[in-house]
Amino acid sequence: MSDLVTVGRVGKPHGLDGSFFVEHASEDRERFEVGARLHVDGEPAEVVASKRSKGRPVIRLDREAPRGAELAVPRAELPPTGEGEYYEFQLVGLAVEEEGGRALGRVTAVQPGVANDVLELDSGIALPLVEACVRNVDLEAARILVAPGFAGPS
């Protein structure tokens, strides 16, 4: 497991000074403030300019960053999550099982939704990330237990 966690991607340019939109940006605004340290495709960089445009972060780094490059921070710098809260990277790869034992697949992505986030599974099933559906997340056992009925008929 990498010790870097993705917090965004280099998006389209903004202006002529090397600034760019951050795509798929972390909700933590401090990640993109002036002086913040990021890794661009694994190489260290520092944010030298930061603003928001249309509600999205626009930053400039102390070095060039190719469009589409991954912006990451060391895992150790992430703040702890609250009870019942998880980072996306913690959920991706976990096995999902329905109460009663039916295996549903593994989490391939966590997608933002209108009302709630959605777990996408390698089996094609999409499950709402809500308390009524997700009964238990056990990171040590690498398993998510969900209530019956959300995955459709067996």
Side-chain angles (χ1 to χ4, degrees):
M1 187 181 313
S2 169
D3 66 333
L4 293 178
V5 176
T6 302
V7 294
R9 291 204 175 280
V10 176
K12 68 180 182 177
H14 186 271
L16 302 173
D17 66 354
S19 293
F20 57 86
F21 280 99
V22 177
E23 296 175 347
H24 310 291
S26 161
E27 293 176 15
D28 184 353
R29 288 179 176 235
E30 292 179 15
R31 294 263 167 256
F32 308 110
E33 289 181 353
V34 172
R37 296 193 134 324
L38 297 170
H39 290 260
V40 181
D41 282 342
E43 297 296 318
E46 185 175 331
V47 177
V48 295
S50 177
K51 62 183 178 182
R52 293 187 80 76
S53 178
K54 299 178 184 161
R56 294 171 44 205
V58 174
I59 64 173
R60 183 166 42 92
L61 301 173
D62 62 354
R63 64 183 200 77
E64 278 194 35
R67 187 164 182 181
E70 186 175 271
L71 302 172
V73 296
R75 187 179 305 266
E77 290 181 13
L78 294 174
T81 57
E83 187 176 332
E85 294 179 336
Y86 302 93
Y87 287 109
E88 179 178 349
F89 73 85
Q90 292 176 300
L91 301 178
V92 171
L94 296 186
V96 179
E97 190 177 290
E98 207 170 51
E99 288 176 331
R102 179 168 71 129
L104 301 177
R106 290 196 173 275
V107 177
T108 57
V110 180
Q111 296 295 335
V114 176
N116 50 265
D117 290 346
V118 175
L119 295 174
E120 289 186 354
L121 308 186
D122 57 5
S123 59
I125 296 171
L127 298 168
L129 197 49
V130 295
E131 199 172 319
C133 175
V134 178
R135 297 289 197 212
N136 184 24
V137 175
D138 186 339
L139 296 178
E140 286 189 21
R143 185 181 81 141
I144 297 174
L145 187 65
V146 298
F150 283 92
S154 47

